[in-house]
Amino acid sequence: MPGFSGSRREADKRPTRKAELDRPGWREGSLPTPWACLREGPPATERPEVAPKTRESPRAPERPGAPPEPAGLLVVTDLDGTLLDETTYGFEAARPALAELRRRGIPVVLASSKTRAEMEPLSRRLGFRAPMIVENGGALLLPNGDEGYESVVFGLDAAVLAIALRAISREVGSPLAGFSSLTTAQVARLTGLGIGPAALARRRDYDEPFLLDDERLLARIQVSATKRGLRITRGGRFFHLTGNADKGTALRALLSRSAGTCPTPDTVGLGDAGNDLSLLQAVDRPILLPGKNGEIDTTLAATLPAAECAPLPGPAGWNAAILTVLAGGRLPSVSSSKQTRPARSTP
């Protein structure tokens, strides 16, 4: 399949578990040093995209004496509804900021509920080779220096989650349609993806997205999941059943690998939905993206009142936010903004 290899290298056949991060030899083994893997540029086979000239998107300052980016900056971003348009999944409006990040050598860690099969080719399209957080923190993918990735697993197997979701469904007395029970064509219709991308979205290892028609049942579903040691989070289109893992846990594990060996980076995180909360709580500078109605998710706003707000939804807002950060500026905070929207229910 273009952009994703179905045959995993030897390092990928046995995913590394969280406890192994601290093994002797983990830092000294075949993996690059933490910031070396973050600082790797685009894959050798890919040419960085050149930002097209546009009047709609602000550009990074080019005048002499423009403020440089903070030393050791690391950008961590959600995808759907944030870097990617939640309907078209495009990132055209973010190209100027992406090009400037590449020019300055600033790594971008993608953190999404998307699968590894989806995110590897997307990372190549974006022109970055850096760690990735997949399936809502189910696994952390670390570049292994051979155009492959080492998996550090935090989540539960998707087959276990699918069984648990069926049990929860019976317990609450309401059908819960999980990805594992849907056909590729059904996923394509629900997400607006083509058949090929929808097939990649169904290749899940650590997360079971599901539909909930009656949100009055949500509290009972959460109780049922909690007693099984599981979590329910809300994404853009779906709810997600996961193990005791999240994006923030995976990010902290990534940052801990550099402790004592590299300067701690200034972290900027961008997200738009409830399943981004742990990520936004784990960074130095959280930035919230509004929905297409122009409003910020109320759960994020209530929890992170000091967070900054991007001026626009999706890739256009992402572009403006990143260029503001690189220019040394700041965005309005949640507490000074009226942009709030009800918590909503993307893989």
Side-chain angles (χ1 to χ4, degrees):
M1 190 170 294
F4 181 79
S5 172
S7 61
R8 295 182 176 179
R9 291 177 173 81
E10 204 60 34
D12 293 326
K13 290 181 180 177
R14 184 190 63 78
T16 304
R17 288 283 167 182
K18 177 178 179 291
E20 295 180 81
L21 279 170
D22 298 322
R23 285 186 321 186
W26 171 260
R27 297 177 189 274
E28 294 81 26
S30 59
L31 288 175
T33 57
W35 290 138
C37 73
L38 285 173
R39 291 290 182 181
E40 282 186 8
T45 57
E46 298 288 326
R47 290 174 179 248
E49 296 167 342
V50 177
K53 293 182 179 180
T54 174
R55 293 181 180 178
E56 291 74 22
S57 300
R59 304 298 296 251
E62 297 180 356
R63 66 186 185 281
E69 77 279 1
L73 185 66
L74 174 66
V75 174
V76 190
T77 182
D78 173 52
L79 292 176
D80 296 350
T82 302
L83 174 54
L84 304 182
D85 184 277
E86 68 177 359
T87 302
T88 68
Y89 302 102
F91 56 88
E92 291 297 315
R95 286 183 185 273
L98 289 167
E100 186 64 16
L101 289 168
R102 285 193 298 266
R103 187 185 74 80
R104 300 192 190 196
I106 298 172
V108 175
V109 173
L110 307 180
S112 176
S113 57
K114 288 184 180 295
T115 65
R116 175 176 181 163
E118 295 175 278
M119 289 179 65
E120 283 196 44
L122 176 60
S123 179
R124 287 191 287 271
R125 285 175 57 209
L126 292 169
F128 292 95
R129 177 165 167 76
M132 294 185 289
I133 297 168
V134 302
E135 298 192 41
N136 281 318
L140 169 65
L141 304 183
L142 300 167
N144 64 11
D146 190 27
E147 295 191 7
Y149 291 88
E150 175 85 7
S151 297
V152 182
V153 175
F154 300 90
L156 291 177
D157 189 274
V160 174
L161 296 172
I163 293 170
L165 183 65
R166 291 194 289 272
I168 293 170
S169 177
R170 291 191 298 269
E171 191 170 298
V172 301
S174 178
L176 301 174
F179 257 41
S180 59
S181 67
L182 302 177
T183 66
T184 298
Q186 287 174 319
V187 171
R189 285 196 298 272
L190 288 168
T191 60
L193 295 167
I195 291 296
L200 298 183
R202 292 188 67 238
R203 291 175 57 174
R204 311 199 76 81
D205 294 316
Y206 315 109
D207 174 284
E208 176 75 337
F210 66 94
L211 294 170
L212 176 59
D213 293 330
D214 186 356
E215 292 198 19
R216 291 175 298 180
L217 295 172
L218 181 57
R220 291 174 57 196
I221 292 170
Q222 288 175 323
V223 168
S224 185
T226 299
K227 75 180 185 181
R228 291 173 167 83
L230 306 177
R231 294 184 183 183
I232 301 289
T233 56
R234 187 193 296 260
R237 290 186 176 90
F238 301 95
F239 289 90
H240 296 261
L241 179 66
T242 64
N244 192 26
D246 55 42
K247 296 178 183 180
T249 298
L251 175 59
R252 289 186 179 96
L254 173 63
L255 295 174
S256 72
R257 298 185 68 239
S258 67
T261 61
C262 296
T264 302
D266 291 327
T267 51
V268 174
L270 302 96
D272 76 313
N275 61 345
D276 300 319
L277 178 58
S278 64
L279 165 67
L280 296 167
Q281 290 175 320
V283 299
D284 301 313
R285 189 171 176 180
I287 299 177
L288 312 185
L289 277 288
K292 288 199 169 182
N293 61 1
E295 297 180 347
I296 297 292
D297 182 277
T298 53
T299 299
L300 296 182
T303 310
L304 301 166
E308 296 170 69
C309 298
L312 297 166
W318 194 95
N319 185 74
I322 290 297
L323 293 182
T324 296
V325 170
L326 296 181
R330 293 195 68 84
L331 298 157
S333 68
V334 171
S335 58
S336 66
S337 171
K338 296 181 179 179
Q339 296 175 291
T340 57
R341 71 174 187 268
R344 60 193 175 96
S345 154
T346 315

